Amino acid sequence: MTRDEIIHWPDALQTELDSARGLLCRITVLRETDSTQDAARWIGATVGDVIVAGRQTHGRGRLGSAWADTEEQGIAMTFVLPREQGERYAFASAVAAAMAVESLVGDTAQIAIKWPNDIYANGRKLAGILIEQHDEFAHIGIGMNISQRIWPNELTGRTVSLAELYADVTRLDAQRALLRTINDVLEWPAPRLAKAYHARHLLRDQVVEFQLGAETCAGRVVGLCIERGLEVETDSGMQWLPAAKTRVIVRLPSDRADGRRLS
Ligand code: BTN
């Protein structure tokens, strides 16, 4: 693995954004921060800003979970966009992250999205996404494992890095790939986005149990709706599950979809 040289990141990443001419247009690189999501707030980031950490020590995950210290082995980035209703950012960020990984690993690994926006490679988690809304902004935080080979006990066997997939890429390579794909995918029309997500979806056609707040729901994943979320066919009708509040509990044998309706 080529050694990262963080000193080159600001220019290299800004050049990448300038050539993309997309909504995201300004890079801020922080040598170390607790969380790029929090940094975006305290530096007063606005639409178009991208915050990148050399090291993120206390990253947050979805639904109150933590994201492990990236040390100098993973990437942590927050993209600042206009606040938006609906599920579009959840789908767009997942597709963009999956495509970035595909461009880095080629055919050597099976890349998939697990609802709502975890990126899996050969069945292990490679990247995660957290979307938070503050004032008029949406903060899309993406973390990706790049060169880790030793994991904390609780992550062993469940996570993977690009290095473990034999992809010899630097953190800068991965950041640039992500900037390219996210600027592009954010502009896609809904049908193209839905198709790209569905094609990579690990839970496609699976019978799954979900938790949404205190309620649970079981059914077959049949598609997705960019405005309303994941489309699940239950015995009592179609349900749409929003990304921000849904947790997948367990995959059920495919003959059991009892369809308890969410209120
Ligand atoms: C998850 O898998 O639950 C989501 C993980 C999101 C981690 C990223 S790293 C960059 C950004 N900053 C954070 O504190 N979290 C997100």
Side-chain angles (χ1 to χ4, degrees):
M1 156 87 57
T2 319
R3 205 174 149 65
D4 276 340
E5 293 181 61
I6 189 172
I7 198 163
H8 300 305
W9 288 9
D11 284 349
L13 296 174
Q14 189 61 54
T15 302
E16 192 68 55
L17 282 185
D18 292 346
S19 62
R21 294 170 186 273
L23 190 57
L24 297 162
C25 58
R26 278 181 307 278
I27 286 287
T28 300
V29 176
L30 303 171
R31 185 164 283 281
E32 181 173 323
T33 189
D34 290 357
S35 160
T36 52
Q37 299 288 98
D38 294 337
R41 293 174 73 181
W42 60 252
I43 67 175
T46 58
V47 171
D49 278 317
V50 180
I51 318 301
V52 183
R55 175 178 183 176
Q56 177 180 260
T57 53
H58 293 85
R60 281 199 297 283
R62 290 183 69 244
L63 304 171
S65 65
W67 185 254
D69 187 341
T70 59
E71 301 187 348
E72 285 175 357
Q73 305 186 313
I75 63 171
M77 304 172 82
T78 291
F79 305 89
V80 184
L81 294 170
R83 191 179 183 118
E84 203 178 71
Q85 297 298 318
E87 303 292 305
R88 189 181 163 75
Y89 289 154
F91 295 124
S93 55
V95 169
M99 286 174 59
V101 173
E102 287 161 4
S103 74
L104 296 166
V105 303
D107 292 337
T108 59
Q110 183 81 33
I111 307 303
I113 300 169
K114 183 175 161 221
W115 173 259
N117 39 28
D118 287 342
I119 308 302
Y120 274 68
N122 295 346
R124 293 184 181 188
K125 185 161 167 174
L126 176 70
I129 300 173
L130 172 68
I131 301 177
E132 297 174 315
Q133 314 262 7
H134 289 292
D135 305 325
E136 69 265 45
F137 304 117
H139 293 167
I140 301 181
I142 304 186
M144 191 184 293
N145 305 322
I146 309 296
S147 62
Q148 296 93 331
R149 290 183 185 276
I150 298 168
W151 301 96
N153 279 348
E154 67 278 12
L155 297 180
T156 302
R158 296 170 48 211
T159 49
V160 71
S161 67
L162 289 178
E164 291 175 315
L165 299 170
Y166 308 103
D168 184 17
V169 298
T170 64
R171 293 193 293 159
L172 181 59
D173 295 331
Q175 289 159 350
R176 292 172 68 177
L178 206 45
L179 290 179
R180 273 195 291 276
T181 55
I182 200 159
N183 250 331
D184 182 26
V185 173
L186 280 170
E187 293 184 0
W188 286 7
R192 182 175 180 193
L193 186 53
K195 192 170 166 203
Y197 187 103
H198 197 61
R200 294 171 172 82
H201 194 197
L202 210 55
L203 304 181
R204 187 181 63 232
D205 301 326
Q206 299 287 313
V207 175
V208 187
E209 190 169 350
F210 294 92
Q211 185 174 353
L212 178 56
E215 305 277 348
T216 59
C217 165
R220 184 178 301 279
V221 175
V222 290
L224 48 99
C225 165
I226 296 295
E227 288 75 35
R228 301 172 75 181
L230 193 69
E231 234 166 45
V232 179
E233 189 175 42
T234 72
D235 286 351
S236 52
M238 201 67 86
Q239 301 273 309
W240 286 271
L241 305 181
K245 297 177 186 153
T246 315
R247 185 196 298 272
V248 177
I249 303 173
V250 71
R251 249 185 245 202
L252 302 172
S254 55
D255 59 346
R256 214 204 106 196
D258 55 17
R260 276 162 285 161
R261 180 172 271 288
L262 296 163
S263 53

